[in-house]
Amino acid sequence: MTEAVAALHGRGRPPTVNAIADEIGIDQSCASRLITSAVDAGYLTVTAGASDGRRREVSVTRAGRLVLRQAHAWQEEIFDELTAGWSEERRRDFHTAMADLIARSDQVGG
C-alpha cells in the first residue's frame, strides 16, 4: 500500500482510496482494509480531502518512507545479484527498459 501511495503521489495523482485500489488492481473495500492496516502499522495516514471532505486522501509517514527506502535498497541488492556477470551497459539498458515499462503501466487499462 505504501508503494502505491508513493507512486500515485509521484505521478501527481491524489492518493485516494479508489485511486489506490485501481493502482494495485483490487476493489475499494479491500484497499480500505489494507490501508487501515498500514495506518495501524504507522506507514500511512488518512485525512479528509482538501477540496472534498468526503474524500479520504492517503499519505506516507516518515516510517513509511523509511520502509520504502529499505525496500528499494533490497530490490537493488537483488538486482545486483541477478545481474552479476552482466556488463554495465547491459545492466543499464535493462534497468532503463524496466523503468520505462513501469512508467507506461499507468497508461494501460486494466
Side-chain angles (χ1 to χ4, degrees):
M1 299 311 291
T2 306
E3 185 73 56
V5 172
L8 287 166
H9 181 72
R11 291 195 308 271
R13 290 187 56 204
T16 64
V17 175
N18 288 333
I20 295 164
D22 288 344
E23 178 77 8
I24 61 175
I26 60 175
D27 64 57
Q28 184 273 338
S29 62
C30 185
S32 185
R33 286 190 300 275
L34 292 171
I35 290 166
T36 297
S37 293
V39 168
D40 291 345
Y43 302 137
L44 300 175
T45 60
V46 179
T47 57
S51 62
D52 182 350
R54 296 168 295 171
R55 189 170 79 170
R56 296 179 296 152
E57 293 188 10
V58 184
S59 58
V60 180
T61 65
R62 178 178 289 162
R65 287 189 298 276
L66 175 61
V67 165
L68 284 176
R69 282 193 302 275
Q70 291 170 338
H72 294 163
W74 176 81
Q75 291 166 352
E76 289 298 323
E77 287 176 30
I78 297 301
F79 180 78
D80 289 344
E81 289 180 34
L82 292 172
T83 59
W86 288 16
S87 69
E88 281 303 312
E89 180 181 17
R90 184 176 182 199
R91 288 168 44 92
R92 185 179 51 253
D93 289 347
F94 182 81
H95 200 274
T96 299
M98 289 302 297
D100 290 345
L101 285 174
I102 292 167
R104 290 195 61 216
S105 69
D106 186 47
Q107 302 167 5
V108 177

